[in-house]
Amino acid sequence: MNASIKLAIKDRESGQATPNCRNLCNFIVHGLKFVFRAKPGGVTRGIPTAFAAAPLNNLLISGGALIWVWPHANGKDKGQLVEPLFRSAPEAAHKDDRLYEYLALIDAIWLGNQREIGLASERLSDRLLKK
């Protein structure tokens, strides 16, 4: 754990690292796209992410652009391929709806335009900082 970036802090009782939600949220919103470059690919079938997945899919209407999808053999949606930040994201998303929503919000911040980034940032902040 790198203490200088403070994305996690050591719990005094257990000694385990716990997320510093405020710093983590700030990093995702303001730094993620500079540290990890998106790797868009061609059109493929996969699992929707970013604005095409919950919780943003009911708030934004696509202006005709292809949706972002993670490549996946069982994917039913057609869109522009984007390699997920973690290779295991598509499988994990199938197993955990809540995790899928977090990953989709992060992708909306990572890949989106200003409106998508604003909506996703607001929702991610609400979830991470809600106590």
Side-chain angles (χ1 to χ4, degrees), residues 17-92:
T18 57
N20 180 330
C21 292
R22 183 166 309 285
N23 287 358
L24 180 59
C25 189
N26 282 328
F27 171 72
I28 291 168
V29 171
H30 301 291
L32 185 72
K33 68 177 93 188
F34 299 107
V35 177
F36 299 100
R37 292 289 181 193
K39 297 176 185 143
V43 175
T44 190
R45 294 216 176 266
I47 299 171
T49 189
F51 70 87
L56 298 178
N57 61 340
N58 292 325
L59 299 174
L60 295 167
I61 298 170
S62 174
L66 289 172
I67 65 170
W68 292 106
V69 296
W70 296 322
H72 194 273
N74 296 330
K76 293 176 176 58
D77 293 277
K78 185 177 176 182
Q80 180 156 9
L81 176 144
V82 64
E83 291 296 333
L85 284 167
F86 300 98
R87 242 183 313 185
S88 60
E91 281 303 317

Side-chain angles (χ1 to χ4, degrees), residues 28 32 50 85 101-111 120 124:
I28 291 168
L32 185 72
L85 284 167
E101 287 187 10
Y102 275 104
L103 293 173
L105 286 171
I106 292 168
D107 276 359
I109 293 166
W110 186 43
L111 302 165
L124 184 67

